[in-house]
Amino acid sequence: MTQDNNTGDQPPPEPPKRGSMRFQDSNTQPRQPSLAEQRARQQALAQEERDDELARQADAKAATRRKILIGSGVTVGLVGLVATFYTVAKTENVTAVCTDKDGVVVQNDDYCDDNYVTSHGGYHSGGFLFLPIPGGGYNSYRYNYGGTGVAGQRVSGGTFDAPSSRTNVTTKSGKSVQRGGFGISGKSGSGGSGKSGGS
């Protein structure tokens, strides 16, 4: 009987490969990174810092834009409010012309003045002032606002409706018929037309 000789059939053990490691003990020193690795690490850190700075700048711009938009909205709102107030509160100036019942301009502005008419036995009714005439009867007068004309001619333009209380109304001679101003009202004829007496 023959015995197998197994000693020659087995391959010899392989030597360990260079650079491979099965374990690392605590005494092993880490190898220094190569120049390429150091450069790559520095570039990565620099890129991360740039990205952080860009993100901070974008946040700051967004916050500034929000503040500007809010400020602009408030400014526009305030400007609109102030403009509306001045439009409503603005006092206008209108010249009043005293006319007879036919709209012909008369020489004497007093014929359209409440105080003058009542002190001379006249009265006020339906937007007209009635002034007695010698021999009986009455002549009627009223103001035209904004119209033009000379005594003896028919008034041109304007209106017989009294203007708003915010309007300064004066006669050609400079007499104040109605003082305007926000919240100030003057006398006005009945029916919303006709005259405003001296107030």
Side-chain angles (χ1 to χ4, degrees), residues 167-186:
T167 305
N168 282 330
V169 182
T170 55
T171 64
K172 285 184 178 180
S173 62
K175 179 179 169 186
S176 178
V177 174
Q178 173 178 295
R179 282 187 219 88
F182 193 67
I184 299 172
S185 62

Side-chain angles (χ1 to χ4, degrees), residues 77-194:
L78 286 175
V79 168
L81 184 63
V82 169
T84 301
F85 174 77
Y86 277 113
T87 299
V88 170
K90 181 181 173 186
T91 302
E92 295 181 41
N93 295 313
V94 171
T95 303
V97 179
C98 187
T99 66
D100 66 13
K101 65 180 176 6
D102 299 318
V104 175
V105 178
V106 296
Q107 183 71 36
N108 193 346
D109 287 336
D110 288 338
Y111 294 169
C112 290
D113 185 299
D114 262 333
N115 294 330
Y116 178 86
V117 170
T118 54
S119 68
H120 285 79
Y123 63 95
H124 180 240
S125 176
F128 284 90
L129 286 139
F130 294 90
L131 192 63
I133 53 175
Y138 289 89
N139 281 334
S140 58
Y141 303 94
R142 63 180 172 168
Y143 276 123
N144 175 283
Y145 303 93
T148 58
V150 295
Q153 293 182 347
R154 190 168 176 77
V155 70
S156 174
T159 179
F160 290 101
D161 294 329
S164 74
S165 61
R166 293 184 305 274
T167 305
N168 282 330
V169 182
T170 55
T171 64
K172 285 184 178 180
S173 62
K175 179 179 169 186
S176 178
V177 174
Q178 173 178 295
R179 282 187 219 88
F182 193 67
I184 299 172
S185 62
K187 284 185 182 177
S188 63
S190 61
S193 63

